[in-house]
Amino acid sequence: MHVQEWLETVPPLSIYLLVGLVIGLESLGIPLPGEIILVSSALLASQHGEIDPFVLGACATAGAIIGDSIGYAIGRKGGRPLLAKLNRRFPKHFSESNIAVAERSFDRWGMWAVFFGRFIALLRIFAGPLAGVLQMPYWRFAVANVLGGILWAGGTTAVIYYVGVVAEAWLKRFSWLGLVLAVLIGVTSMLVIKRKAKKAAEKAEAAEGELVTAGE
């Protein structure tokens, strides 16, 4: 069953809790489809008045911030051995190459890796635990975690919700053309930040590669 079709059978309170829990577990370091659940729930809220988008956004934001904070605490306590355990548990996501990429991002950006990591699937899983493993000062982590959580979770909810509202209104006036255009606008808005973050990561890796080559 499609995610949104399944969510339509769930009471609003359960949706709030589900969104917060899934995003929290993903932020903690467990690979889960947090973004898919959030987008589907926000779109559902735009079509059903009983789901409050503000409560939904607040639950998503709380899940993101709390999950990352728990992940940070676990990473700080578990250290490098924790990454090895995660590698054995989730080899696809916590492979040595993925860990190396995440570490380079942290070395290059510091606290900004936590902030922008919200918009990159790989870093969204790594950010909390890796920040703890690398002993990032908690105040720096907390600032980036809170701001990133609000912008990603709250922003995603707002964009998808209003796209859904506009799409429904346009659908009544312009049939499927309005829906297609509204969805394209919403998707484009979400991808802009992701694309910028990806380009920044590529530039950082290229610069690091040049430094290594120059050193040799």
Side-chain angles (χ1 to χ4, degrees), residues 68-150:
D68 242 18
S69 298
I70 296 175
Y72 174 89
I74 294 175
R76 195 173 182 89
K77 183 177 181 180
R80 292 282 178 180
L82 174 65
L83 296 180
K85 291 181 181 179
L86 290 173
N87 184 7
R88 292 193 296 269
R89 183 82 174 176
F90 307 105
K92 180 179 178 180
H93 296 86
F94 288 88
S95 63
E96 292 183 3
S97 60
N98 284 346
I99 292 175
V101 170
E103 285 188 306
R104 285 198 296 271
S105 299
F106 270 76
D107 290 338
R108 179 72 177 180
W109 299 338
M111 64 184 293
W112 292 109
V114 177
F115 179 84
F116 287 113
R118 284 292 176 191
F119 303 92
I120 305 174
L122 178 63
L123 285 181
R124 188 161 58 247
I125 298 172
F126 275 104
L130 193 56
V133 169
L134 298 178
Q135 302 292 307
M136 176 181 288
Y138 181 73
W139 72 267
R140 297 181 64 190
F141 167 79
V143 171
N145 179 32
V146 171
L147 294 180
I150 292 174

Side-chain angles (χ1 to χ4, degrees), residues 47 163-180 182:
Q47 302 167 356
V163 164
V165 171
V166 171
E168 187 174 4
W170 284 11
L171 186 59
K172 294 178 181 178
R173 298 174 58 187
F174 304 109
S175 188
W176 62 273
L177 290 176
L179 176 62
V180 171

Side-chain angles (χ1 to χ4, degrees), residues 185-207:
I185 292 174
V187 171
T188 301
S189 300
M190 289 182 59
L191 291 180
V192 166
I193 296 179
K194 288 189 175 183
R195 186 176 179 183
K196 289 183 178 180
K198 185 177 180 181
K199 284 185 176 181
E202 291 174 351
K203 288 181 179 179
E205 290 184 25

